[in-house]
Amino acid sequence: TDLLQQELNEQLLVAERAREEMMAAHCDELDDLIQSHDLERRDLHREIGELRIECAQACESNALEQPLADMRAYLESQVCTMKNKFEAQLADLEERQREQRVQDEVEISQLRCSLEACQEDLATSQGEFATLSRQHWDMHLHLRDMEARLQEPPPPPAPAPPAAPPAAP
């Protein structure tokens, strides 16, 4: 039973390690995605700042080729495009997380079923072990009894019956 318990524990540890590795990989993937979003956002903010500076310089030097309203519309469309991209990426991230949760729940369910099967196997093995243990003990007692009988001195030979008188011819 200790060996079976140890084997069950080892299987549970392996399953738990695999789940932890999957969770770590999933977290790493999310971290990478968030980091790339942050970098892209910073780049876009930097570009917006540069565009604002360019716009301010153009306004100061009266070198605008487009009316200010067109520039504002252009910048607003750029901001709207960025917003839509971020929303799409966020929706994608949420969908991935939902799929991962579903997958994790399926895996947990499978592990529970596996655990139940192992527990049933263990209970069966324990019953068989108890039966074999009783049989072994009975055989041990019977063997000890036989050894004790073999070590007893043999009983003395029975006296010979009296000889019958010779028959007359």
Side-chain angles (χ1 to χ4, degrees):
T1 54
D2 288 341
L3 182 61
L4 290 175
Q5 183 65 40
Q6 183 180 359
E7 185 176 329
L8 176 62
N9 288 341
E10 288 174 2
Q11 289 178 356
L12 290 173
L13 283 173
V14 167
E16 183 61 27
R17 284 186 190 129
R19 188 181 81 68
E20 287 176 5
E21 288 174 5
M22 288 175 55
M23 289 299 287
H26 177 67
C27 288
D28 290 343
E29 184 178 324
L30 289 176
D31 289 344
D32 292 343
L33 184 60
I34 289 170
Q35 192 175 37
S36 70
H37 287 181
D38 286 343
L39 289 173
E40 185 176 347
R41 184 175 44 91
R42 286 183 198 132
D43 287 342
L44 291 173
H45 281 292
R46 182 186 46 77
E47 287 179 25
I48 288 172
E50 291 171 359
L51 287 173
R52 284 182 180 161
I53 291 170
E54 287 178 18
C55 183
Q57 289 172 349
C59 286
E60 289 175 5
S61 66
N62 285 331
L64 288 175
E65 294 181 14
Q66 314 176 355
L68 187 57
D70 290 344
M71 182 60 81
R72 176 171 281 168
Y74 172 75
L75 291 175
E76 286 176 355
S77 72
Q78 290 296 317
V79 169
C80 185
T81 301
M82 289 182 342
K83 178 184 172 190
N84 290 338
K85 284 182 181 180
F86 282 141
E87 287 174 348
Q89 289 175 349
L90 182 61
D92 183 51
L93 179 63
E94 288 172 346
E95 179 62 20
R96 285 184 190 180
Q97 287 176 337
R98 186 192 64 74
E99 289 173 358
Q100 184 64 42
R101 279 192 300 271
V102 168
Q103 184 181 5
D104 289 346
E105 289 171 4
V106 167
E107 184 180 340
I108 287 170
S109 176
Q110 290 172 345
L111 288 172
R112 283 187 179 138
C113 289
S114 176
L115 176 61
E116 289 172 4
C118 289
Q119 288 173 336
E120 289 173 7
D121 290 346
L122 178 62
T124 301
S125 296
Q126 286 174 335
E128 291 173 357
F129 179 80
T131 301
L132 289 173
S133 177
R134 279 190 299 270
Q135 289 176 352
H136 175 73
W137 181 250
D138 291 344
M139 288 177 69
H140 173 74
L141 292 177
H142 181 71
L143 181 64
R144 212 168 63 188
D145 211 28
M146 296 282 288
E147 286 175 349
R149 285 186 193 165
L150 285 174
Q151 290 180 1
E152 290 177 1

